[in-house]
Amino acid sequence: MQELVNSINSVIWSPALIYLCLGTGLFFTILTRFVQLRHFREMFRLLLSGKSSDKGISSFQALAVSLSGRVGTGNIAGVAAAIGFGGPGAVFWMWIVAFFGAATAYIESTNAQIYKEEEDGVYRGGPAYYIEKAMGQKWYAWIFAISTIIACGVLLPVVQSNGIGDALVNVFGNGGTVPSFLGDLPLTKVYAATLIVLILGFIIFGGVKRIANFTQIVVPFMALAYIIIACVIIALHLDILPAIFMSIITDAFTPMAGFGAAIGWGVKRGVYSNEAGQGTGPHAAAAAEVEHPAQQGLVQAFSVYIDTLFVCSATAFMILITKSYNVMPEGSSVFLVQNLAADVVISGPAFTQIAVDSVLTGFGKPFIAIALFFFAFTTVLAYYFIAENNVSYINRTIKVPALRFVLKLVMMAAVFYGTVAQPSAAWGMGDIGVGLMAWLNIIGIIIIFFMAKPAIKALKDYEAQQKAGVTKFTFDPKKLGIENADFWEERFAKENPEANKETNKDTAG
């Protein structure tokens, strides 16, 4: 099984995908004239000003839902794995993919807003929707939808719950074992898996609104607590912080584990963490209630900063400052750096737990276990939200009433398996899910750009209204030459009946 997973990953995560992720971010950064820098203040304003409605969630709730998908095991165990396999230089490439990825996040999330739909009283959207409407390729949209259901409903939850199980074992030990068809399982993991599945079932059977309400409280609180602990550790080692920063920069270009390892693991874990280009963020973006599609694109771009430049950097600095890491290139059996015991698992949360515990003795391991529980659990909720969105997309064509119910049961089973599985198997399955979605989504948004440039047109329109000093933003897709944006066409016609009459008159003439 592990060999099959590794073989699939070697194809999906070839250098082509790594450079495609970086190249796409650079491409859209230039085309948007560094939107992630120019509109930083506007991103923050929009984050605090949005309101929810009966049909959609607020910009902040949408940010919280997407952050719950971004801030997860990747921020704690993923960063550790990037350092463990790629060396400190991998952190630099995580920063690079985050900076350029913010522009990609703007593009895909704005597309999701433009082409969203209203279904059963709530907003739905995402790559499957904008691929069909902007590209006109329903078959490709179906491939993405099915791939996303598999990735977010089965493959990706395995990684998140696995991080929780490993973190708890690091705190409480195995607690004995119980025999199963998967081998002898630690009782600690079995108890954790049972609890997680019960809580997960309670929330996902409660609907999207319950997910949004839960994540908007938990994610900001845990992220803030995590960053405060990281700042305390960094503050206690300020004298060596410049040297750590320089080691990240120098190792990025003269890497101890090889250039391919540093950039490969940095980009892979960077995309896994911030998800820019992967196609997960647009689902939450489409559910937001906003005046103009570009607004949610900007908010989602800001979420990449929070995830990688704040949370991932906090993890990296804690690990590097306290020297709580080993470096062994993937496939090798020789340590390039060994600061910890040889049996410490690189692909788990152990590096981070040891780092915090080395400064705050007796506190680090349980704190990271609690933080990881909330980060990973809310990520699983976000994955369900995304998978359900794509079930809704399929149900537009083929009505399968039981499909949502089956999805819930399958995800609960995947979460149980992930909690008790070995880290190498869990991360391998997660990487397949991330890579598959990234390939399909990035190709899609590039083709959509060359066909219609909807997100670029929306940005220029938004900036024009900003310059004009409007108090209420509007979006008229017909005026901008954007087709099939049915939701926004209907909204504009309803809110501006006189303007709509003029448009019809001009079209008739």
Side-chain angles (χ1 to χ4, degrees), residues 319-376:
I319 291 172
L320 295 174
I321 281 174
T322 60
K323 295 185 178 180
S324 301
Y325 66 98
N326 296 331
V327 177
M328 178 189 288
E330 190 175 22
S332 173
S333 59
V334 179
F335 287 106
L336 299 181
V337 175
Q338 186 176 4
N339 298 313
L340 306 174
D343 61 350
V344 175
V345 179
I346 290 178
S347 294
F351 285 4
T352 313
Q353 288 181 297
I354 293 170
V356 179
D357 212 62
S358 68
V359 178
L360 304 172
T361 307
F363 175 78
K365 290 183 179 180
F367 172 75
I368 294 300
I370 293 170
L372 190 56
F373 172 82
F374 284 110
F375 285 166

Side-chain angles (χ1 to χ4, degrees), residues 166-293:
D166 277 359
L168 290 174
V169 167
N170 290 337
V171 176
F172 300 109
N174 287 339
T177 59
V178 57
S180 76
F181 69 93
L182 295 172
D184 291 337
L185 304 178
L187 275 173
T188 300
K189 287 191 172 185
V190 174
Y191 293 146
T194 304
L195 178 62
I196 294 167
V197 167
L198 289 175
I199 299 173
L200 175 64
F202 172 75
I203 294 179
I204 63 177
F205 278 98
V208 172
K209 287 282 188 177
R210 184 176 289 178
I211 294 173
N213 291 332
F214 182 81
T215 56
Q216 74 171 338
I217 296 172
V218 172
V219 173
F221 174 77
M222 285 310 305
L224 181 61
Y226 186 77
I227 290 173
I228 288 173
I229 294 297
C231 288
V232 169
I233 294 175
I234 293 169
L236 293 173
H237 298 83
L238 278 178
D239 56 324
I240 63 172
L241 185 59
I244 295 299
F245 187 80
M246 287 306 299
S247 72
I248 292 173
I249 302 299
T250 55
D251 191 61
F253 299 99
T254 55
M256 63 175 65
F259 187 74
I263 190 171
W265 279 98
V267 173
K268 182 187 289 188
R269 288 294 170 254
V271 172
Y272 196 102
S273 176
N274 63 55
E275 301 185 2
Q278 183 183 329
T280 49
H283 296 87
E289 182 70 78
V290 291
E291 295 178 351
H292 193 286

Side-chain angles (χ1 to χ4, degrees), residues 114 120 128 137 145 150 182 240 272 285 354-355 375 380 386 402 410 436-437 461 477:
I114 291 172
D120 298 328
Q137 302 297 325
I150 295 171
L182 295 172
I240 63 172
Y272 196 102
I354 293 170
F375 285 166
V380 171
I386 293 163
V410 169
L436 187 62
M437 290 180 66
D461 179 61

Side-chain angles (χ1 to χ4, degrees), residues 302-317:
F302 184 74
S303 72
V304 176
Y305 285 146
I306 297 174
D307 172 85
T308 302
L309 298 186
F310 288 164
V311 184
C312 284
S313 295
T315 301
F317 282 127

Side-chain angles (χ1 to χ4, degrees), residues 119 132 138 142 391-400:
E119 177 190 318
E132 177 186 333
K138 194 169 184 177
W142 265 70
V391 167
S392 296
Y393 174 80
I394 289 175
N395 275 337
R396 292 158 74 240
T397 304
I398 301 176
K399 297 292 183 182
V400 185

